[in-house]
Amino acid sequence: MLPPSRQQILRLYKHLIKYGNHLQLTDKNYFLGRVRHEFRQKQQLNNPLEIEFTFKRGETLLKKGRIL
């Protein structure tokens, strides 16, 4: 499977930020800071498998509201 495109990754980032702004029972600032930190940290990934794994992880968070 192909790794996600830059556009898909940026869309995921945007959706995670919107999701974080609507949180009620969690510290919004912590969640948003964590999302930004993770995206900056993973920005230099070159391995397609790692990129795909982290992308799926973000999608799972949006779908289920948590990461197992």
Side-chain angles (χ1 to χ4, degrees):
M1 185 172 185
L2 293 173
S5 68
R6 185 174 193 274
Q7 184 179 10
Q8 289 173 310
I9 293 170
L10 292 175
R11 190 177 308 124
L12 175 63
Y13 179 78
K14 180 180 173 182
H15 289 299
L16 284 169
I17 295 296
K18 283 184 179 182
Y19 175 78
N21 285 326
H22 291 89
L23 289 175
Q24 294 178 358
L25 301 176
T26 305
D27 183 10
K28 289 180 188 181
N29 293 328
Y30 173 78
F31 180 83
L32 295 173
R34 186 82 175 135
V35 168
R36 289 183 184 109
H37 174 76
E38 287 289 326
F39 270 82
R40 282 188 202 118
Q41 185 181 20
K42 305 293 185 194
Q43 188 175 18
Q44 303 302 322
L45 287 179
N46 292 327
N47 184 344
L49 293 175
E50 288 181 38
I51 294 170
E52 186 177 344
F53 174 77
T54 54
F55 184 77
K56 296 261 186 213
R57 188 173 167 218
E59 284 184 324
T60 302
L61 174 62
L62 282 177
K63 289 178 185 173
K64 297 187 178 187
R66 64 175 190 252
I67 299 175
L68 295 175

